[in-house]
Amino acid sequence: MGVLPVPAEVRAILLDIEGTTTPIAFVQETLFPYIKDNVKEYLRAHWEEEECQRDVGLLRKQAQEDSSLDGAVPIPLESGSGEEELERVIQAVVDNVHWQMSLDRKTTALKQLQGHMWRAAYATGHVKGEIFEDVVPAIRKWREAGMKVYIYSSGSIEAQKLLFGYSTEGDILELFDGHFDTKIGPKVESESYRKIAASIGCATNNILFLTDVPREATAAEEADTHVAVVIRPGNAGLTDDEKSYYSLISSFTELFLPSST
């Protein structure tokens, strides 16, 4: 793929996470299995805490909304204080979480519990955020050249900060000037990129967006944002048309900044 010159008007680089800064396998083979394997133990340990009870309350409300769906798992209320009943309710929460995850649901209730579990896992060293080895040196060079660097991911801002704050490269949060998640809008809608540009105080054509997802790249282009599609191990393959249309890189080191000459 060689060297990709960055347009002279670019002042900020916007990064996707999964498949761009971080292997897809980390999310699929580390983060999600951690939830499945540890949710019961986590609930038992934190059940009496206010945060955990809020999480369970949200899951219970979601379960009520899902009651008409095939295979939906209800979460009963506690009517007493017996150990046996507590175990029954906890098991219902576990079963509900597993059911939602099996369908790749993105409900706020599920995301909130997952985020709190990952926070505990990162803090105790059970999980470290995986970063491709070219990422940190490249970002340092971009910043030295005067670039601003931002993250835009479907994962919550809290989850983003955990991944980069407890990463295989140490705490690298200082490398980023800001974070965006889908609260600003879906990554496949061009308006989201206009909102990001407005938020960071520049024009959309002052931004270069790096992603592994062609639909996101198309949305960003429609907003007049510069785009490069990142090819990483484990990423979904591109069609021949996509390969010929998009600027492609397989490493952040392939970006050439005119300002760095």
Side-chain angles (χ1 to χ4, degrees), residues 158-191:
E158 181 184 21
Q160 297 173 27
K161 289 182 175 180
L162 287 169
L163 192 154
F164 293 116
Y166 297 93
S167 85
T168 49
E169 303 293 324
D171 181 351
I172 57 171
L173 283 172
E174 65 179 16
L175 298 180
F176 305 109
D177 295 282
H179 297 257
F180 299 94
D181 59 18
T182 51
K183 285 181 180 173
I184 203 152
K187 296 174 76 182
V188 294
E189 291 185 7
S190 57
E191 185 60 24

Side-chain angles (χ1 to χ4, degrees), residues 27-47:
V27 178
Q28 302 299 334
E29 297 173 13
T30 299
L31 285 185
F32 288 138
Y34 179 87
I35 301 295
K36 289 179 180 175
D37 294 345
N38 292 279
V39 62
K40 182 181 280 190
E41 180 184 341
Y42 176 87
L43 290 168
R44 282 174 174 162
H46 299 278
W47 190 260

Side-chain angles (χ1 to χ4, degrees), residues 110-217:
L110 178 62
K111 277 189 170 186
Q112 182 166 300
L113 175 67
Q114 288 173 332
H116 293 152
M117 286 187 63
W118 286 326
R119 182 182 64 199
Y122 281 115
T124 55
H126 286 101
V127 171
K128 283 187 181 293
E130 280 187 47
I131 311 292
F132 287 113
E133 62 182 16
D134 58 276
V135 169
V136 170
I139 293 176
R140 292 195 194 283
K141 281 188 177 178
W142 300 343
R143 292 178 63 86
E144 286 168 11
M147 287 286 173
K148 299 283 190 181
V149 183
Y150 299 89
I151 295 292
Y152 181 29
S153 173
S154 55
S156 70
I157 289 174
E158 181 184 21
Q160 297 173 27
K161 289 182 175 180
L162 287 169
L163 192 154
F164 293 116
Y166 297 93
S167 85
T168 49
E169 303 293 324
D171 181 351
I172 57 171
L173 283 172
E174 65 179 16
L175 298 180
F176 305 109
D177 295 282
H179 297 257
F180 299 94
D181 59 18
T182 51
K183 285 181 180 173
I184 203 152
K187 296 174 76 182
V188 294
E189 291 185 7
S190 57
E191 185 60 24
S192 304
Y193 300 89
R194 296 186 186 98
K195 288 179 179 176
I196 287 173
S199 174
I200 64 181
C202 68
T204 50
N205 73 343
N206 296 142
I207 298 173
L208 170 64
F209 178 46
L210 304 185
T211 178
D212 63 310
V213 182
R215 285 183 66 208
E216 297 174 3

Side-chain angles (χ1 to χ4, degrees), residues 65-73 99 103 105:
E65 293 174 15
D66 292 340
S67 60
S68 62
L69 298 179
D70 187 38
V73 180
W99 172 73
L103 299 176
R105 301 285 300 282

